[in-house]
Amino acid sequence: AQTVTQSQPEMSVQEAETVTLSCTYDTSESDYYLFWYKQPPSRQMILVIRQEAYKQQNATENRFSVNFQKAAKSFSLKISDSQLGDAAMYFCAYRSKTGTSYGKLTFGQGTILTVHP
Amino acid sequence: DAMVIQNPRYQVTQFGKPVTLSCSQTLNHNVMYWYQQKSSQAPKLLFHYYDKDFNNEADTPDNFQSRRPNTSFCFLDIRSPGLGDAAMYLCATSRDPPGQGLPRGKLFFGSGTQLSVL
């Protein structure tokens, strides 16, 4: 079974600064999806960014980018020019493409991000 | 436009009294999921439907059941809720294999139903 680990229960950043959230995972699969989801106090799960493992290029979405290190099984999220609206719980998640775990989304424990004005 | 709709937003039930949570989707996705999320924890998959095929997680209690009468609707039934079942219940959908124009692999989540057990 796959596991996802977020080692930072809480992080904080000043508005307009940059912050990096860490995520590691364990798998024996060669191709899979990795995601970062944002969950604000409303509890709505919002997709921030997505990476397919076979793609070497790191995904970017506006102020959000990832550092995907497949060999190290690391998938960190960098938020540039942080905004007050970025404050939320962030979950790293893994999704299998094959096998008995096909389609299932496995979440890390989450990182609470606080943005200071 | 709302795509995955969960009703109600808040549900209160009594200890041991059966309760049903509902989820509907306008995306015509073939896969639907139910997740349980307790306070300050990660969502945990309870089960999912791949088309009409029901897939139960090994550690999902027998107290939890699900029905999917058609593509658009999926229900979560809790037969005898205990205090430990108080949680946010999240419904999600996906299309598998992914269709054209969709972000591959993405799950679409509803806003959740917060269940309280008194």
Side-chain angles (χ1 to χ4, degrees):
Chain A
Q2 294 80 23
T3 59
V4 179
T5 302
Q6 294 177 246
S7 58
Q8 305 155 319
E10 297 183 26
M11 291 285 285
S12 64
V13 64
Q14 291 293 131
E15 199 175 5
E17 297 295 310
T18 296
V19 64
T20 298
L21 308 185
S22 301
C23 173
T24 59
Y25 58 95
D26 187 29
T27 185
S28 59
E29 298 174 338
S30 60
D31 194 19
Y32 42 86
Y33 299 104
L34 292 166
F35 304 90
W36 279 97
Y37 276 90
K38 168 186 176 181
Q39 190 178 43
S42 67
R43 308 291 291 276
Q44 175 75 53
M45 279 286 189
I46 302 166
L47 179 65
V48 175
I49 201 164
R50 180 182 65 95
Q51 176 86 37
E52 288 194 72
Y54 76 90
K55 293 184 177 179
Q56 293 183 336
Q57 187 173 7
N58 289 325
T60 62
E61 287 288 343
N62 300 313
R63 296 183 296 108
F64 299 88
S65 61
V66 297
N67 183 5
F68 174 48
Q69 301 290 328
K70 189 174 183 180
K73 296 179 182 174
S74 171
F75 184 63
S76 61
L77 173 69
K78 185 171 81 171
I79 306 174
S80 303
D81 186 24
S82 297
Q83 300 175 0
L84 295 177
D86 295 335
M89 174 79 91
Y90 285 80
F91 289 101
C92 178
Y94 175 103
R95 188 173 187 220
S96 294
K97 287 189 177 182
T98 59
T100 56
S101 296
Y102 173 75
K104 294 191 290 189
L105 198 60
T106 301
F107 289 91
Q109 304 93 318
T111 297
I112 299 172
L113 178 66
T114 302
V115 181
H116 297 290
Chain B
D1 291 344
M3 296 182 289
V4 182
I5 304 161
Q6 291 188 245
N7 285 309
R9 183 74 172 93
Y10 299 94
Q11 176 75 56
V12 181
T13 191
Q14 292 179 338
F15 182 94
K17 184 175 181 181
V19 65
T20 295
L21 310 182
S22 70
C23 177
S24 64
Q25 52 131 339
T26 60
L27 299 164
N28 201 33
H29 284 174
N30 60 326
V31 190
M32 294 188 77
Y33 309 80
W34 279 105
Y35 283 85
Q36 179 193 62
Q37 186 181 23
K38 296 187 177 180
S39 182
S40 300
Q41 295 184 20
K44 178 180 175 299
L45 182 64
L46 295 173
F47 25 60
H48 73 283
Y49 277 92
Y50 190 103
D51 296 319
K52 296 181 180 179
D53 294 333
F54 177 70
N55 298 272
N56 198 30
E57 292 301 295
D59 56 355
T60 297
D62 293 339
N63 198 26
F64 291 84
Q65 304 287 325
S66 186
R67 297 170 283 135
R68 188 179 186 186
N70 54 52
T71 300
S72 301
F73 286 86
C74 195
F75 299 98
L76 170 61
D77 301 309
I78 308 176
R79 292 190 298 184
S80 182
L83 299 179
D85 296 328
M88 172 70 83
Y89 290 87
L90 296 167
C91 175
T93 72
S94 69
R95 176 180 291 282
D96 286 284
Q100 289 188 350
L102 288 176
R104 289 170 56 88
K106 178 181 177 180
L107 266 66
F108 293 74
F109 283 85
S111 299
T113 294
Q114 181 68 50
L115 178 68
S116 299
V117 181
L118 303 179

